[in-house]
Amino acid sequence: MRQVVKMIFPMAKITKNSPFHQKKLLPLHLVIHNMTTLEAIHKTIAPELELLNRQMSERLSTSNPLMDKVVTAQLSSKGKQIRPMIVILCSKLVGDANSNTIAAAASVELLHNATLIHDDVVDDSKTRRNKPTINSIWDNHIAVLVGDYFVSCAMQQAISTGDIRIIDSLCHLGKLLSLGEIDQIYNARYHTLTEETYYNIIGNKTASLFVACAKMGCYAAGVADERVDALAEFARLLGLCFQIRDDVFDYFGSDSIGKPTSNDLKEGKITLPLLHTLLREDLPDHSAMLELSRKEILDDNDIATLISYAVDNGGIDHAFAEMKRLRDKASEALTAFPESESKKALLSLFDYIIARDH
């Protein structure tokens, strides 16, 4: 177990009294078979994913050689495609995956790519998924235009379904993503430290995308009953869990993440592991740590101190406990659905997200 924990948390000190010593919240089999799990899910929807990637490539193709070159570079680093997978799996759970399912899946994946491209410009990121970003290879001007192009293509894909519910879902999603980012900036500047605020922010900036995927998958399959609400709730919990797991990486990092460790703290963002400890007035040095977290600019020593405080006082354990709680609630949201390959895949996807190492 120690070897596995060190693989996931390379900076963690594994001692007899360490919170990682008997990690009950991260089952060993989930870690060992994690990538196998994702590959197995991919296999259940392989034909649909093939259609998805082909359709995105075709829709993004232009007569402009520079745009095609940049688009090709972006698509070559397509990631795990978890969001379109949710669209497809939800369609198959309530009915059949059809041409509208693929178009809906393409629309959310294209919009997601657009947000990543724009984020890299805002953050001046040089790499993503260990590959150079568009703005680092070309420049910010090109990157912004390419991001806008992806947004336009996403809208075209949604419109091609002819389903106003799918179009509305994508438009509403764009609004929530923007609000989530603005809320996070505001929170970082004015130091609003509550778990409710944290969950509201990640609900908009991350979970909203997962919710849109579930709804669009149902609409594409022709379903608009209580099953939409059940799958939307499952997706919301999945999205919250995804962001919490992503936030935990900031405290340890991984060579495969492709983003700097402690990047959130450098930007003044207080995420769940540290937030949990800062809200506990019973902890030693609480007042000093709270004051330190409110500094306008944190240097490397400040960040290291806050990370150690979060890790040593159970912040990571709390984050994993929250992910387990979300997983249990998500499982309950699917109880009304009969057993099927798609239902199993959705639950396995939740386990994968908790156990992933990047």
Side-chain angles (χ1 to χ4, degrees):
M1 175 61 107
R2 287 191 183 196
Q3 184 177 3
V4 174
V5 172
K6 289 296 287 182
M7 176 181 69
I8 300 177
F9 304 110
M11 292 175 61
K13 295 180 179 179
I14 311 301
T15 64
K16 182 177 180 180
N17 297 318
S18 168
F20 296 97
H21 186 251
Q22 292 181 328
K23 178 63 69 181
K24 298 179 181 178
L25 301 175
L26 188 59
L28 183 59
H29 73 279
L30 291 183
V31 178
I32 295 174
H33 299 295
N34 204 23
M35 289 312 298
T36 304
T37 297
L38 189 63
E39 290 168 0
I41 298 171
H42 277 160
K43 287 181 180 178
T44 66
I45 53 174
E48 290 84 2
L49 288 177
E50 184 179 351
L51 283 172
L52 167 76
N53 288 306
R54 186 190 312 153
Q55 187 154 314
M56 287 196 301
S57 181
E58 290 173 354
R59 297 300 181 268
L60 289 167
S61 179
T62 74
S63 59
N64 184 290
L66 176 57
M67 180 64 81
D68 271 356
K69 187 174 183 179
V70 180
V71 165
T72 299
Q74 179 67 17
L75 293 181
S76 69
S77 180
K78 62 186 178 183
K80 306 173 194 69
Q81 299 191 320
I82 288 174
R83 294 151 192 87
M85 285 169 60
I86 295 171
V87 178
I88 295 167
L89 287 170
C90 286
S91 265
K92 297 186 76 170
L93 183 59
V94 299
D96 293 317
N98 51 45
S99 59
N100 278 358
T101 303
I102 303 304
S107 71
V108 292
E109 184 68 355
L110 291 170
L111 183 62
H112 175 57
N113 271 267
T115 64
L116 297 182
I117 294 168
H118 287 157
D119 283 350
D120 289 338
V121 172
V122 172
D123 298 336
D124 194 27
S125 300
K126 302 304 179 185
T127 61
R128 179 176 288 278
R129 301 176 186 134
N130 291 321
K131 291 187 177 182
T133 56
I134 292 175
N135 52 295
S136 69
I137 299 175
W138 288 276
D139 56 36
N140 286 346
H141 187 192
I142 296 295
V144 169
L145 291 173
V146 172
D148 291 345
Y149 181 67
F150 270 74
V151 171
S152 298
C153 289
M155 288 302 305
Q156 284 186 315
Q157 284 294 283
I159 292 169
S160 73
T161 66
D163 191 328
I164 193 64
R165 299 168 303 180
I166 291 176
I167 299 167
D168 180 66
S169 294
L170 192 74
C171 293
H172 186 60
L173 170 61
K175 182 174 74 172
L176 290 178
L177 292 175
S178 298
L179 285 173
E181 290 295 337
I182 291 293
D183 284 344
Q184 188 165 58
I185 292 171
Y186 178 88
N187 189 46
R189 290 182 180 177
Y190 295 98
H191 308 290
T192 307
L193 298 178
T194 68
E195 287 202 7
E196 181 181 5
T197 299
Y198 170 79
Y199 275 107
N200 286 338
I201 289 171
I202 68 172
N204 282 337
K205 67 170 279 188
T206 304
S208 62
L209 182 49
F210 287 69
V211 171
C213 290
K215 288 184 175 181
M216 292 164 76
C218 291
Y219 296 148
V223 170
D225 53 30
E226 67 279 358
R227 289 174 290 176
V228 179
D229 295 332
L231 283 174
E233 175 62 5
F234 173 87
R236 184 184 72 86
L237 297 167
L238 181 65
L240 294 176
C241 184
F242 184 95
Q243 187 58 56
I244 293 172
R245 187 67 185 93
D246 207 48
D247 289 343
V248 169
F249 288 131
D250 207 54
Y251 293 79
F252 296 100
S254 166
D255 292 339
S256 55
I257 296 173
K259 76 169 185 176
T261 297
S262 69
N263 195 50
D264 288 334
L265 278 173
K266 289 175 185 175
E267 296 174 3
K269 300 171 185 175
I270 307 297
T271 53
L272 189 60
L274 178 58
L275 176 61
H276 174 69
T277 57
L278 291 178
L279 292 175
R280 288 187 56 192
E281 297 182 3
D282 61 305
L283 291 176
D285 302 321
H286 171 264
S287 297
M289 292 300 103
L290 187 60
E291 183 178 353
L292 178 61
S293 72
R294 289 173 171 164
K295 281 183 64 175
E296 190 167 337
I297 298 177
L298 296 170
D299 61 31
D300 289 344
N301 288 332
D302 295 333
I303 291 171
T305 299
L306 288 170
I307 286 178
S308 294
Y309 185 73
V311 173
D312 294 344
N313 289 287
I316 304 301
D317 278 350
H318 176 70
F320 272 97
E322 282 294 281
M323 285 188 276
K324 183 180 183 300
R325 180 182 68 82
L326 293 171
R327 202 276 185 195
D328 290 343
K329 286 185 65 178
S331 180
E332 291 175 9
L334 295 187
T335 53
F337 294 90
E339 295 303 315
S340 67
E341 194 173 57
S342 296
K343 179 178 177 178
K344 180 181 177 182
L346 284 170
L347 289 171
S348 295
L349 186 59
F350 214 118
D351 291 334
Y352 165 78
I353 283 175
I354 294 176
R356 68 193 174 102
D357 65 351
H358 64 288

